[in-house]
Each structure stands twice: as structure tokens, then as C-alpha cells.
Amino acid sequence: MRIVAGEFKGRKIETPLGRDIRPTSEKVKEAVFSMLYGDIDGAVAADLFAGTGNLGLEALSRGAELCYFSDISRESLAITRRNIAVCRAEERSVLVAGDFERCLDRIMRDGAKVDLVFIDPPYKEGLYGRCFKLIREMEILGDGGKLIAEHSKNDVLPDYLSGYNKIKEKDYGSITVSIYV
């Protein structure tokens, strides 16, 4: 797996062995960032279920100013930390040990407004609704901010979720990407 475009283009990032962590494929990642064209430069991003940090690092590579990374798995955090180092993006990265709620709390305490929130939790956990609801309640999404949810094609997300409207949805094999504002 590698960074597709921007400042870190071509840098190989570590991916784990096995199936516990499911990094976004380069094809899907490229499609996601094509849909976000024009929204990335200078943005503050959050990669809430970071896994390898793949999506957040791609955002930083393409011009995001800062990215919050979080994951509940120690293995994922270690991989993300190493990938941040490979990209030399430590000064533009905030790594939060713990679940997405802890990361959202950190963002709120920092007084940050996030422009892009990447939400790619374990598919069978049913975390999308809770995640969207907390983002809404904590008021951390900036004006014009977007929530980018990667999910199984079999898990249809509604057009309206916790106050957010779906503006785009694309299928990529067994994966679907839904974007909300």
C-alpha cells in the first residue's frame, strides 16, 4: 500500500498481516479523494478508525493542515505511528489512543473544527449512527465539513443520518463510500 498523490506520493505505508485491520484499497482511496477535490487544502481532518492511518495520511499528503488519528487497537496505533514517521508528518498529526469518542473529546478540548471526518469502523459493529450523533452533539464539524463513511455494500446507510444529508454515494465492488454534509 502506498500514498497515491501529493507531498508523500509513492511512500509505502505499512499494512498488517491478517484480516484484523482492513485498509482502504488504493482504488477506493483515489476515488474518495477525487470526490473531495477542492476540500482538502488547509483542512483539518480526523481519521477516527485509523487502522494504518491510510486515509488521514493521504489527506495530509494532499494538503490537509492537520489530522487527528485514533484507534482502539494498540497494534493499529503502532502501525499508524510508524506510517506517520515514514511520511515525516509528526508535526501535522495528533495520535489519540482509544476509541472514536476519545478522539472526538480531544478535538472538542482542542477547540478544533474538523473539515473532513473519515469513518471506517469494523463493518459489523453498527457504529455509524452513534459516531454521527456524537459529532453533531459536540459541534466539531466546521462549516461545509464532510463526513466520509466507508461501509459494506450490504450495509445501506440512510440519506439522512443524525442531522447530516448524504450528498454522494459510490460503490466499489463490495465497498460503498457515502459522503454527508
Side-chain angles (χ1 to χ4, degrees), residues 132-152:
F132 277 51
K133 183 178 181 217
L134 279 174
I135 291 167
R136 182 81 164 168
E137 289 172 357
M138 293 178 164
E139 300 178 345
I140 64 157
L141 195 65
D143 291 339
K146 293 186 170 128
L147 305 175
I148 303 93
E150 182 179 322
H151 53 97
S152 168

Side-chain angles (χ1 to χ4, degrees), residues 70-115:
S70 70
D71 205 291
I72 201 165
S73 161
R74 285 187 176 150
E75 178 189 4
S76 291
L77 286 173
I79 291 170
T80 299
R81 184 176 285 111
R82 289 191 295 270
N83 286 336
I84 289 168
V86 163
C87 293
R88 297 186 184 113
E90 295 90 345
E91 291 183 14
R92 295 167 47 207
S93 302
V94 177
L95 195 60
V96 179
D99 65 9
F100 73 93
E101 292 178 24
R102 180 172 271 168
C103 187
L104 295 176
D105 282 339
R106 171 67 187 270
I107 293 167
M108 193 172 72
R109 281 194 323 270
D110 287 355
K113 291 292 183 186
V114 179
D115 304 295

Side-chain angles (χ1 to χ4, degrees), residues 30-52:
E30 180 61 36
V32 165
F33 283 92
S34 290
M35 288 189 276
L36 296 174
Y37 183 78
D39 295 325
I40 303 165
D41 197 40
V44 173
D47 192 348
L48 296 183
F49 302 87
T52 62

